[in-house]
């Protein structure tokens, strides 16, 4: 059973607001990831982190930013939300098995920007 | 970049039937993972495959890592209504990209009671 948590689960906000999506894991995993997923569609990697103070952009360009100050915490921030940011955001972490890394996902945050 | 072709895109079956779905790629992967996602939730890992040729079962689910390392299949036997969801395959690459999963586009499974 994976112990990875995301809050809030659902968020409806107005255009221009700053938001932070929280992700935390209690498994001591070094690697963490953020994916964006539209309904019924494939997952797109937008950010990842190898460990504390390490963050990289993923394959899909995103206006969001991330930080990794603590191993267990990997928040994602949107400085000024727009309707185009409406999507499901999934956080994941992986164990430290080198080439056998297996990613475990949180429950997701469904973001709607009006 | 690496791409996975997952098929079928969707399946509509009767309860009790067996299901088979697969993923193929032109790239080699070191690990194949199969996830199930239900509406409003994150993907849940079903089976992980780490060696070419490996055949692994998890209850009614069976998955295999293709011998060429470029494909994998997932079988579900005697389907039940709670099997409904989207099934994703994912491959973990080699070399410098071994931290990044490549996902298939998913197979939407509907089970008619």
């Amino acid at each position: 059973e994976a112990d990875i948590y995301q809050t809030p689960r659902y968020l409806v906000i107005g255009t221009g607001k700053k938001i932070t999506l929280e992700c935390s894991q209690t498994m001591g995993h070094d690697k963490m990831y953020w994916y964006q997923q539209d309904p019924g569609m494939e997952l797109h990697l937008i950010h990842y982190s190898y460990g504390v103070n390490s963050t990289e952009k993923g394959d899909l360009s995103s206006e969001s930013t991330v930080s990794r100050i603590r191993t267990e915490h990997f928040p994602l921030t949107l400085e000024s939300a727009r309707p185009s940011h409406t999507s499901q955001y999934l956080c994941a972490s992986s164990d430290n098995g080198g080439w056998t890394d297996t990613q475990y996902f949180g429950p997701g945050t469904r973001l709607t920007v009006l | 970049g690496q791409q996975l072709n997952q098929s079928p895109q969707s399946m509509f079956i009767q309860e009790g039937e067996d299901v088979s779905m697969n993923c193929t790629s032109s790239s080699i992967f070191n690990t194949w993972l199969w996830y199930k996602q239900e509406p409003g939730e994150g993907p849940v890992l079903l089976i992980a495959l780490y060696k070419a040729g490996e055949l692994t079962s998890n209850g009614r689910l069976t998955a295999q890592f293709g011998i060429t390392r470029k494909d994998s299949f997932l079988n579900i036997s005697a389907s039940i209504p709670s099997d409904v969801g989207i099934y994703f395959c994912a491959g973990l690459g080699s070399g410098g990209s071994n931290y990044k999963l490549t996902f298939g586009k998913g197979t939407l499974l509907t089970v008619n009671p």
Side-chain angles (χ1 to χ4, degrees), chain B residues 47 55-64 73-77:
Chain B
I47 292 180
L55 182 71
T56 297
S57 293
N58 178 8
R60 294 178 296 105
L61 277 61
T62 302
Q64 184 157 31
F73 71 75
L74 174 71
N75 288 341
I76 305 173
S77 63

Side-chain angles (χ1 to χ4, degrees), chain A residues 9 33 35 37 40-42 45 48 50 59 88 90 99-107, chain B residues 30-31 33 35 37 40-43 45 48 50 86 88 92 98-101 103-105:
Chain A
R9 291 294 315 276
Y33 314 81
Y35 291 85
Q37 182 187 33
M41 304 294 286
E42 63 194 291
L45 182 69
Y48 60 95
Y50 289 124
D59 301 322
Q88 167 131 306
L90 293 161
W99 64 271
T100 62
D101 278 17
T102 298
Q103 292 185 20
Y104 298 93
F105 285 83
Chain B
N30 287 330
T31 299
L33 306 171
Y35 291 89
Q37 186 177 27
E41 299 294 330
L45 182 67
Y50 300 118
I86 302 176
F88 289 98
L92 201 58
N98 66 346
Y99 51 79
K100 294 167 78 171
L101 280 179
F103 280 88
K105 294 188 176 183

Side-chain angles (χ1 to χ4, degrees), chain A:
Chain A
E1 188 78 19
D3 296 320
I4 181 164
Y5 309 98
Q6 290 185 245
T7 57
R9 291 294 315 276
Y10 303 92
L11 181 61
V12 181
I13 59 166
T15 296
K17 299 291 186 183
K18 177 180 178 179
I19 60 166
T20 296
L21 308 184
E22 302 288 347
C23 176
S24 60
Q25 50 95 7
T26 58
M27 298 171 283
H29 288 172
D30 282 341
K31 300 183 184 71
M32 295 187 74
Y33 314 81
W34 275 102
Y35 291 85
Q36 185 172 339
Q37 182 187 33
D38 290 324
M41 304 294 286
E42 63 194 291
L43 285 75
H44 295 284
L45 182 69
I46 52 175
H47 299 283
Y48 60 95
S49 167
Y50 289 124
V52 171
N53 294 325
S54 153
T55 61
E56 301 286 345
K57 289 193 177 295
D59 301 322
L60 181 68
S61 175
S62 174
E63 294 168 344
S64 58
T65 59
V66 292
S67 62
R68 190 89 184 275
I69 298 172
R70 303 198 318 264
T71 297
E72 62 272 20
H73 196 213
F74 191 39
L76 180 146
T77 298
L78 275 166
E79 290 293 332
S80 180
R82 297 205 301 270
S84 61
H85 297 139
T86 295
S87 189
Q88 167 131 306
Y89 292 84
L90 293 161
C91 180
S93 70
S94 64
D95 53 24
N96 309 318
W99 64 271
T100 62
D101 278 17
T102 298
Q103 292 185 20
Y104 298 93
F105 285 83
T109 294
R110 167 69 63 189
L111 173 66
T112 302
V113 184
L114 303 176

Side-chain angles (χ1 to χ4, degrees), chain B residues 13-19 60 76-81 83 111:
Chain B
I13 62 170
Q14 295 295 122
E15 183 177 0
E17 291 183 356
D18 297 343
V19 171
R60 294 178 296 105
I76 305 173
S77 63
S79 59
I80 59 178
D83 290 333
V111 180

Side-chain angles (χ1 to χ4, degrees), chain B residues 29 31 41 43 54 65 87:
Chain B
F29 291 96
T31 299
E41 299 294 330
E54 179 181 356
F65 191 147
Y87 292 79

